[in-house]
Amino acid sequence: MKNTVVFLSLISALLLCLALLLGYYFFTDPCQGQCSIPPIKDEAPLPAISKAAFVTKSYTLPNGIKLFVLPTTFEPDEVSVRVIASRGYADESPRARASAELAIEMAWESGVNGKTSDQISATLYAEGIELTSKVYPFFTVMEATLPTEKMDKFFTLASTFIQNAHITSKGSDAIKQKIWKNLEEKADARTVDLDDLLKEQLYPALPQLQSLRLSDLQILNPHDANIFLRKTISNPKNYTIVVVGDIEPETAYQLLKEHLGQWKPLAQINASEFEVPSQESLPIKGQTQKSFNLHQKGDGFTKLVFPLKITVTQESIRTIDFLANLVEERLRTLLKEKTGSYQGIDVSYEFPLYPHLTPVVLSIQYRSAFNINQEIIELILKNLRELTTKGPSKEEYEMVNLYLGQADEYWRKNNEYWLEMLSNYGLWNWPVNDLTSDVTLQVNEKDVNEMIFNVFDINDYLMLSSSLAP
């Protein structure tokens, strides 16, 4: 798995969405930091510049909604839409966390504007609209893929939900029972989620960032959930909407203006109760190892996390991406040579508090048999020390640039890629025109070396490693 954009991070807990209407939803990539690079073609020349022409139109409605529209023809007569509200469950108090995290599921289950969840599901199926929604730590999202001709239907549903959603005791109880059952099954399966474990280690004093537990469900209630809805989905200034696909920008704008242009705030924006920790506050000082028991035979899991002491910008993020790909290629070659297997290794940069750009970490994750894991750890650390001492070779530098160039060309022909990229740029307030214009694919070698020697400190890391339970 290769990075071409962020993503997260973060990186994410799987929750049960509305049956028949909402499925399992992942706000991951292709991109959000985890894009797969297609197989390299040995005969391909080293690309210098992408010539694909993309023009994103940006709008701001009078009530504050931001809209980005990118017309493409990769999927004829199809459009992908993402509606993002910039508030999530971590912005609430720890006590209200579960009610906020499950508020969207409870709202759909409660029905909207006189229609039950089954009726809404049947309507969506008939119209060919695939809809998902989810609350994340710092944002809430509704996403749909649909025929272009059904854009009016989608905006009708979205505006109705945004302005009329309300959670009933019946809807709350139904979702509570489903999630309770899921958590019990997860506990019985004794599975391991390295992302959850990482957050527990990075932010032990912040319960609203930890994975949902049965104890959280005991205090879940529709009152707190409705308060979260009013603060989150009832103010247009909170919203960024991204539309990618076979549609004219002006058409999308007019439809949005027709359905939500007159929408006035229903509640005052409340400040977040969450204070974002600084990069310096991360409890990764020196070399720290945490073990966890794995209640199943087979391979174990290991995750090494290195904080990167850098300010993330449009310019630096591509160099960070280069570093992650460089490390992965080196370690893949190393592990294949020494163990006969790549061990499923994945190297990525992550934002544990996405969309906040602080902190940023380099993450190395793999799985291996328990009896050789210590050997693999030593091989990896030795290779990284060599990299931070000598830097990459000229051949490695050119190879990774080639990989990134081919990945860029591959993903720029994908609607989901653009949906993720435009969402990121919108949330980070980065100019979208810089994203969709012709871009130089090469990364400056000086910047790469600067990051390796001064930003990537292999003496500071946290390692999460499994051991087989007795």
Side-chain angles (χ1 to χ4, degrees):
M1 184 73 73
K2 303 283 187 199
N3 307 30
T4 59
V5 307
V6 175
F7 217 32
L8 129 248
S9 48
L10 332 167
I11 6 223
S12 304
L14 181 65
L15 295 176
L16 183 65
C17 299
L18 179 62
L20 300 179
L21 171 63
L22 306 173
Y24 289 117
Y25 180 81
F26 300 89
F27 197 74
T28 55
D29 286 341
C31 296
Q32 192 187 322
Q34 315 269 348
C35 277
S36 294
I37 287 182
I40 186 170
K41 300 177 182 177
D42 293 336
E43 71 278 8
L46 183 66
I49 294 179
S50 170
K51 293 298 184 182
F54 298 96
V55 179
T56 298
K57 293 287 291 184
S58 304
Y59 305 88
T60 301
L61 272 64
N63 58 9
I65 297 176
K66 293 189 297 183
L67 172 66
F68 302 105
V69 186
L70 176 64
T72 71
T73 55
F74 305 134
E75 299 292 341
D77 304 316
E78 183 178 290
V79 179
S80 294
V81 185
R82 182 170 289 166
V83 180
I84 308 168
S86 58
R87 193 179 185 92
Y89 61 79
D91 292 311
E92 305 303 308
S93 67
R95 177 176 177 79
R97 173 266 172 83
S99 300
E101 183 171 352
L102 300 175
I104 297 298
E105 288 95 324
M106 291 189 289
W108 285 115
E109 186 66 34
S110 299
V112 180
N113 204 26
K115 289 189 175 182
T116 66
S117 60
D118 287 342
Q119 290 173 327
I120 296 171
S121 179
T123 299
L124 290 170
Y125 180 81
E127 300 291 351
I129 300 175
E130 298 178 7
L131 178 67
T132 56
S133 58
K134 185 176 175 66
V135 181
Y136 289 90
F138 300 102
F139 60 94
T140 300
V141 66
M142 180 189 303
E143 183 174 327
T145 301
L146 60 148
T148 302
E149 62 183 17
K150 301 298 182 179
M151 278 288 288
D152 182 68
K153 295 283 187 180
F154 170 76
F155 277 132
T156 297
L157 174 63
S159 62
T160 300
F161 179 80
I162 287 169
Q163 298 181 78
N164 297 281
H166 181 77
I167 297 165
T168 64
S169 295
K170 182 179 179 180
S172 173
D173 290 342
I175 294 300
K176 180 177 180 179
Q177 291 175 12
K178 292 177 182 178
I179 301 301
W180 191 286
K181 182 179 179 181
N182 282 355
L183 292 179
E184 287 184 327
E185 291 175 349
K186 182 179 178 181
D188 290 340
R190 295 175 176 177
T191 56
V192 172
D193 188 317
L194 292 178
D195 290 334
D196 285 347
L197 288 172
L198 176 61
K199 287 182 180 178
E200 289 176 6
Q201 295 301 320
L202 294 183
Y203 307 107
L206 299 174
Q208 63 267 56
L209 291 178
Q210 312 306 322
S211 57
L212 202 63
R213 292 176 170 82
L214 292 176
S215 58
D216 295 316
L217 295 183
Q218 293 174 344
I219 55 176
L220 180 148
N221 64 82
H223 174 73
D224 287 343
N226 275 313
I227 291 176
F228 172 77
L229 281 179
R230 286 196 294 272
K231 289 191 291 188
T232 304
I233 69 170
S234 64
N235 196 308
K237 292 182 179 180
N238 282 357
Y239 278 77
T240 299
I241 299 178
V242 180
V243 179
V244 177
D246 194 3
I247 190 170
E248 290 297 324
E250 192 63 24
T251 300
Y253 171 71
Q254 291 299 333
L255 284 171
L256 180 62
K257 185 177 179 181
E258 175 185 342
H259 288 284
L260 289 171
Q262 301 304 312
W263 171 31
K264 298 292 190 294
L266 302 180
Q268 184 177 0
I269 299 176
N270 294 69
S272 170
E273 296 192 26
F274 186 88
E275 184 175 348
V276 180
S278 66
Q279 184 91 2
E280 292 71 26
S281 67
L282 282 178
I284 302 180
K285 311 295 182 185
Q287 302 171 11
T288 304
Q289 181 172 355
K290 300 290 183 179
S291 294
F292 56 91
N293 289 332
L294 199 61
H295 296 265
Q296 59 190 31
K297 294 183 179 180
D299 292 341
F301 301 87
T302 298
K303 187 181 184 83
L304 293 113
V305 178
F306 299 83
L308 299 179
K309 303 166 186 177
I310 190 172
T311 300
V312 179
T313 64
Q314 287 176 264
E315 292 72 28
S316 67
I317 198 169
R318 191 165 183 89
T319 310
I320 297 172
D321 185 30
F322 186 100
L323 173 62
N325 281 277
L326 171 65
V327 171
E328 179 164 318
E329 290 309 316
R330 286 176 65 98
L331 297 183
R332 279 171 57 87
T333 301
L334 173 72
L335 294 180
K336 182 67 173 177
E337 176 186 341
K338 298 296 186 180
T339 72
S341 168
Y342 297 126
Q343 306 295 340
I345 194 161
D346 176 76
V347 182
S348 61
Y349 59 92
E350 301 177 7
F351 300 112
L353 302 180
Y354 176 86
H356 298 293
L357 294 174
T358 299
V360 54
V361 300
L362 186 75
S363 169
I364 301 173
Q365 183 173 316
Y366 66 91
R367 57 188 302 160
S368 70
F370 290 99
N371 63 331
I372 64 169
N373 191 44
Q374 188 58 42
E375 176 188 351
I376 291 177
I377 291 170
E378 291 173 2
L379 285 171
I380 289 175
L381 293 176
K382 180 180 179 181
N383 189 278
L384 294 179
R385 288 191 186 96
E386 181 180 305
L387 174 64
T388 55
T389 301
K390 300 179 181 179
S393 67
K394 187 70 173 179
E395 292 75 15
E396 286 179 311
Y397 173 79
E398 292 181 352
M399 177 187 66
V400 175
N401 252 324
L402 174 58
Y403 281 15
L404 290 177
Q406 290 189 348
D408 228 19
E409 290 298 321
Y410 177 84
W411 285 115
R412 285 169 70 86
K413 299 173 185 176
N414 181 286
N415 281 345
E416 191 66 19
Y417 167 86
W418 288 114
L419 196 68
E420 297 291 348
M421 293 288 277
L422 289 170
S423 297
N424 286 337
Y425 272 54
L427 289 171
W428 296 332
N429 293 315
W430 289 357
V432 295
N433 289 334
D434 292 349
L435 171 65
T436 54
S437 61
D438 290 347
V439 294
T440 300
L441 298 179
Q442 295 283 353
V443 173
N444 186 287
E445 189 171 2
K446 180 181 178 182
D447 293 339
V448 173
N449 288 329
E450 172 73 17
M451 184 167 294
I452 290 172
F453 296 138
N454 299 314
V455 174
F456 181 32
D457 185 353
I458 68 161
N459 294 312
D460 286 343
Y461 66 83
L462 168 66
M463 180 168 62
L464 302 173
S465 186
S466 62
S467 58
L468 192 58

